[in-house]
Amino acid sequence: MTISANQPYFMPYFPYWQLIYASDVFFMCDDYAFIKGGWINRNRIFCNGNVTYYRIDLEKLSFRKLISDIQMVELDIEKMLRTLQVNYRKMPHFQEGMSLMERILNHHERNLALFLRHSIEEVCNYLGIHTRLVRTSQIEGNDALKGKERIYDLCHRMGATHYVNPIGGMKLYDSKEFEEQGIALAFIHSNVASHHPEDITFANGLSIVDAVMRHSREELHDLLDDYTLVDNEGKPVKSPLNI
């Protein structure tokens, strides 16, 4: 079994969905501290010819508040949809993108973690990703651990033999340390941007919202496979899902 984990983000860029797709189980790290200025409650879209932020507003935050404890300010859904309509109405898959965003933004939940879970589920369904989604706050006792010990614990509980991490974590985790725990570690490197340098969405690392407006569901599903798993040295390793 292969697992992966990351904080739940609001409509993240395409490589995030490739990480989920590359796993049997994806853990949404919702009982981790909220990081201001990150991607948890915002992402980037194309607006008026420029890259700009598309966000959900939150109630006042206290120091090191957990994602699962944060409440959202009531969304101005009409305004958020209007922003998309103004900027993407000429895109070939505008109607599909708007329908997806209407389902996401009209969700009744105002707890940030639960709202994000729903949005991730909706996008996974749209892209044809069947990975099991689990919130780390549901795993009793895992929050008592720190750093990579939390990952080891999740792997052991699930009986996972492989753990896939975002490429940005190559300096944080060491393959040999994971091997001592009986876990094969790999990092996912998305090839989409390099294979499609002319594409605005991928070249700029824009939100999946942008990708859905510009590309068909079938095209995006086919692109999910366009990644390479590498070790700590950047050398390709075989995907356990393809063995």
Side-chain angles (χ1 to χ4, degrees):
M1 174 182 285
T2 300
I3 74 170
S4 61
N6 209 336
Q7 293 172 323
Y9 294 154
F10 178 55
M11 306 306 290
Y13 72 160
F14 196 72
Y16 187 97
W17 307 99
Q18 292 180 295
L19 176 66
I20 299 177
Y21 179 73
S23 314
D24 297 299
V25 179
F26 176 73
F27 282 96
M28 292 177 280
C29 303
D30 63 333
D31 55 352
Y32 284 58
F34 178 86
I35 300 174
K36 291 184 179 181
W39 303 108
I40 297 170
N41 68 314
R42 65 177 187 170
N43 223 283
R44 303 187 306 155
I45 62 171
F46 214 60
C47 181
N48 296 322
N50 297 298
V51 174
T52 190
Y53 287 108
Y54 190 67
R55 62 184 299 133
I56 48 180
D57 293 324
L58 309 174
E59 293 185 357
K60 188 175 181 179
L61 299 173
S62 59
F63 180 66
R64 292 193 64 79
K65 198 166 189 177
L66 300 181
I67 300 169
S68 55
D69 294 333
I70 295 173
Q71 297 298 310
M72 299 161 47
V73 172
E74 185 172 356
L75 297 178
D76 188 339
I77 298 173
E78 182 177 347
K79 179 180 179 181
M80 294 183 75
L81 291 175
R82 187 166 60 249
T83 296
L84 297 178
Q85 183 174 20
V86 168
N87 291 284
Y88 289 104
R89 64 183 182 275
K90 295 182 180 180
M91 291 296 103
H93 301 282
F94 169 72
Q95 292 299 335
E96 298 98 307
M98 286 297 285
S99 295
L100 175 63
M101 290 308 296
E102 286 172 359
R103 293 195 299 274
I104 289 171
L105 296 177
N106 280 294
H107 187 54
H108 63 86
E109 185 60 62
R110 288 298 169 262
N111 174 272
L112 178 62
L114 297 180
F115 179 87
L116 292 176
R117 178 193 170 93
H118 173 258
S119 68
I120 291 171
E121 288 176 337
E122 286 285 352
V123 175
C124 281
N125 289 336
Y126 184 85
L127 297 177
I129 298 174
H130 304 296
T131 302
R132 180 185 171 192
L133 305 176
V134 181
R135 291 183 291 121
T136 52
S137 61
Q138 296 175 296
I139 309 301
E140 185 176 355
N142 183 260
D143 60 344
L145 303 173
K146 300 294 183 181
K148 58 194 172 187
E149 297 296 332
R150 297 194 70 172
I151 301 300
Y152 298 157
D153 180 57
L154 295 175
C155 288
H156 294 324
R157 291 186 190 226
M158 300 301 297
T161 54
H162 293 74
Y163 178 73
V164 180
N165 199 73
I167 195 70
M170 291 183 72
K171 294 182 179 180
L172 298 177
Y173 298 138
D174 184 271
S175 297
K176 293 182 179 179
E177 294 180 355
F178 273 73
E179 288 176 5
E180 292 173 358
Q181 296 290 326
I183 306 162
L185 171 67
F187 303 90
I188 188 166
H189 179 271
S190 176
N191 301 318
V192 176
S194 59
H195 289 170
H196 302 273
E198 76 293 341
D199 193 294
I200 292 174
T201 301
F202 306 129
N204 292 280
L206 300 183
S207 166
I208 190 66
V209 177
D210 193 275
V212 167
M213 297 290 187
R214 298 177 190 274
H215 299 273
S216 71
R217 182 189 306 214
E218 293 73 21
E219 288 172 336
L220 292 175
H221 179 78
D222 290 343
L223 287 174
L224 288 170
D225 275 315
D226 194 8
Y227 67 83
T228 304
L229 293 181
V230 300
D231 60 19
N232 273 114
E233 298 179 351
K235 297 178 181 178
V237 297
K238 192 170 183 179
S239 170
L241 296 184
N242 296 327
I243 295 175

